[in-house]
Structure formats: C-alpha cells, structure tokens
C-alpha cells in the first residue's frame, strides 16, 4: 500500500481566500442592528439625564457629558454599519468561511469534518424581520466556533441541513474506513493470544 503521498506545496500554487465569493448579510439586518443601537442609545441618554440632573453639574460639564454621549452614539452607529457591511460568508463543499471585522478583518474557515453541532438562534428583533443567526460549534472549542447573523431563517435551515448531511457522510466514511482497517489489521488481543500459544 504505497498510495501515501505528502508533496511540498508552494504558497504561489495555493488558492487565494480573496477569490472566494462571499454572500453578504441580508439588507434587513441593517434594520435589526439600527433598532438594537437605538435601544442602547435611548438607554444611555436615559441614564445620563438623571445623573446630570441629580449631580447639579454646571453647564460646561453638562455639555461635555451630552457631547461625549452623542459622539459615543455616533461611533456606535457608524461602526455597526461598517461591521454589517464587511461581514460575509461562503459555504463550500468541504468548509464554511466567515469574514468579519471593521478595523481588522478576520477570516475564519471551519472544515465541515470539525463541526460538532449546528444551531439556529432567533432574537426578538431579528425574528420580526424573518432573520436568524446560524451558530456553528466545532471540536476546536469556542475560539473556532462561528456565528453568522442576518440570514433568512429558510436559508439558515438549508445550510444547517446541508452541514448535518455532510457531517453524517463524513462519519459513515470514517466508520467504513475503521471497519476495513479492523478487518485488514489483526487485533492486538488476537496477537497476544497467538503469541502465548
């Protein structure tokens, strides 16, 4: 059985991740993020008004607090917009890829044979727009898990079904290889019994 090969691969010949066509998040997800940010903004303002009123700050400090909160809210909305715009995913035959990030871009590629569980999470606001979050849990722990928000529920269910089918195929192949290996290789207990005779 000399079918094993381990050829050297040069970086120039490897496929580029940038050439993978990513699927962007649904446009309706901008509304979900906007509404979430609006809730956070109202909460911040709701906390700031009583604090300023109860502490009797002079007008200069009051202006600074409101200006700071205004800038914070503006940054929150701008950052969230670009975060949604830069996020995308690709489902391929052997893996799933997620790109995210605003200031620094991360690309995570999860091989399907490392996936242990796939879940679908629907938040209150997301559900209103028919969207959900696809959660993929891997054997590598939480650092290699990925979550893809802003996907229509029907699409998420199709992806989940595809991934679970691929996982079951991988397990069947693995079981078949193990059974063939067991048939071809003598069992250690059989060997020790034969050595004792």
């Amino acid at each position: 059985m000399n079918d094993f090969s381990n050829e050297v691969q040069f970086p120039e010949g490897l496929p580029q991740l940038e050439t993978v066509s990513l699927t962007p998040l649904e446009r309706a997800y901008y509304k979900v993020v906007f509404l979430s940010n609006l809730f956070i903004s109202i909460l911040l303002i709701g906390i700031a008004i009583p604090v300023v009123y109860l502490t009797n700050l002079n007008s200069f400090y009051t202006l600074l607090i409101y200006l700071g909160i205004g800038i914070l809210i503006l940054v929150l909305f701008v950052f969230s917009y670009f975060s949604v715009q830069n996020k995308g995913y690709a489902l391929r035959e052997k893996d799933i890829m997620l790109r995210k990030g605003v200031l620094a871009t991360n690309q995570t590629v999860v091989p399907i044979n490392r996936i242990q569980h796939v879940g679908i999470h629907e938040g209150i606001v997301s559900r209103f727009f028919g969207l959900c979050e696809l959660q993929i849990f891997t054997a590598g722990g939480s650092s290699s898990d990925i979550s893809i928000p802003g996907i229509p529920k029907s699409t998420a269910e199709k992806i989940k079904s595809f991934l679970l089918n691929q996982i079951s195929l991988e397990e069947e192949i693995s079981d078949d290889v193990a059974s063939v290996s067991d048939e071809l290789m003598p069992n250690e207990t059989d060997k020790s019994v034969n050595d004792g005779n």
Side-chain angles (χ1 to χ4, degrees), residues 9 12 39 73 81 115 119 121 133 146 162:
Q9 297 295 316
E12 300 82 30
F39 175 76
I73 290 171
Y81 173 81
I115 297 173
H121 173 73
E133 178 178 51
I146 61 172
F162 171 80

Side-chain angles (χ1 to χ4, degrees), residues 59-99:
S59 60
F60 175 73
Y61 290 117
T62 302
L63 178 66
L64 278 181
I65 289 173
Y66 287 136
L67 186 62
I69 290 173
I71 291 171
L72 184 65
I73 290 171
L74 180 66
V75 167
L76 177 69
F77 277 89
V78 170
F79 189 84
S80 296
Y81 173 81
F82 285 112
S83 175
V84 172
Q85 190 171 6
N86 290 341
K87 203 172 276 187
Y89 67 96
L91 176 63
R92 300 187 295 181
E93 159 180 7
K94 301 283 185 197
D95 58 36
I96 187 163
M97 183 171 81
L98 173 69
R99 183 193 66 206

Side-chain angles (χ1 to χ4, degrees), residues 91-131:
L91 176 63
R92 300 187 295 181
E93 159 180 7
K94 301 283 185 197
D95 58 36
I96 187 163
M97 183 171 81
L98 173 69
R99 183 193 66 206
K100 64 181 180 177
V102 176
L103 301 176
T105 304
N106 289 336
Q107 288 188 342
T108 305
V109 179
V110 176
I112 291 175
N113 64 359
R114 300 291 293 162
I115 297 173
Q116 291 194 333
H117 176 68
V118 181
I120 295 176
H121 173 73
E122 291 180 275
I124 296 169
V125 180
S126 296
R127 186 181 310 149
F128 180 75
F129 290 100
L131 302 175

Side-chain angles (χ1 to χ4, degrees), residues 116-187:
Q116 291 194 333
H117 176 68
V118 181
I120 295 176
H121 173 73
E122 291 180 275
I124 296 169
V125 180
S126 296
R127 186 181 310 149
F128 180 75
F129 290 100
L131 302 175
C132 65
E133 178 178 51
L134 183 69
Q135 300 171 329
I136 299 170
F137 303 95
T138 64
S142 62
S143 62
S144 59
D145 295 345
I146 61 172
S147 294
I148 307 170
I151 299 178
K153 187 172 181 188
S154 60
T155 303
E157 287 172 347
K158 287 177 187 174
I159 293 172
K160 179 180 178 180
S161 177
F162 171 80
L163 292 174
L164 293 177
N165 285 336
Q166 291 297 99
I167 291 167
S168 68
L169 285 174
E170 291 278 339
E171 288 173 354
E172 286 176 19
I173 291 170
S174 161
D175 290 345
D176 290 346
V177 168
S179 66
V180 168
S181 175
D182 288 345
E183 291 173 8
L184 295 177
M185 304 284 281
N187 193 338

